[in-house]
Amino acid sequence: MRHQEAVATSRWSLRGSYAKEGEERIGKVGLAYRFSRPGEGQALRRETEATLQVTRRELEMALLELDARFQSALTRIQAATPPLPFKGFDLSLKAISLRLSEGKERPSEALPIRRQLLEAQAASYRRLQAAHLLAAELQALTAEVNP
């Protein structure tokens, strides 16, 4: 920003040209000065300051948004129950299959039990996924950035 302002308000410049006319080569070097228009410098400074204020405000808003995301993730991870895996899934399915093969249970009775087991397993995976997402978000929000 400040560099662009300095370039725009610069009054001095160095100019040069090179040409070839027949067998002659001509090089010209000159110095130029540009007179400012009335109020040009002040207008440029006001524009630069306004742009800097907008950029600062956008930065403040972005920082507030990141802080809100961090606080939200921190609150959610503190309130969440620890994701415990559903360990008895395979054994339970085998037990139902065994009862079916021995004829102690009918398929119409075993189907709802299998559905409940699958729903419990899916819920366990969803809780685990949610915990990993929260942990990843907290890690991303607190990680150091090395440019």
Side-chain angles (χ1 to χ4, degrees), residues 4-32:
Q4 291 172 347
E5 179 185 4
V7 169
T9 58
S10 174
R11 304 282 169 238
W12 295 96
S13 65
L14 183 62
R15 301 187 186 251
S17 65
Y18 176 77
K20 193 172 184 181
E21 293 179 8
E23 292 184 17
E24 291 184 19
R25 294 180 293 195
I26 300 170
K28 295 180 184 178
V29 177
L31 189 63

Side-chain angles (χ1 to χ4, degrees), residues 27 46 50 60 67 79 116-117 121 137 139:
R46 281 194 306 266
E60 289 171 4
D67 186 50
Q116 287 174 353
L117 286 172
Q121 181 74 349
E137 185 171 4
Q139 184 180 6

Side-chain angles (χ1 to χ4, degrees), residues 52-66:
L52 285 173
Q53 286 179 355
V54 166
T55 305
R56 282 187 194 116
R57 177 58 87 194
E58 288 173 352
L59 177 63
E60 289 171 4
M61 294 297 290
L63 288 174
L64 287 173
E65 182 182 321
L66 283 175

Side-chain angles (χ1 to χ4, degrees), residues 83-88 121 124 127-128:
L84 300 173
F86 182 49
K87 295 183 179 181
Q121 181 74 349
S124 172
R127 283 191 306 273
L128 188 61

Side-chain angles (χ1 to χ4, degrees), residues 1 18 33 44 49-50 52 58 71 104 108 115 122 130-131:
M1 291 287 159
Y18 176 77
Y33 180 79
L44 205 53
E49 288 303 318
L52 285 173
E58 288 173 352
Q71 293 301 327
K104 293 183 178 179
S108 61
R115 185 173 291 136

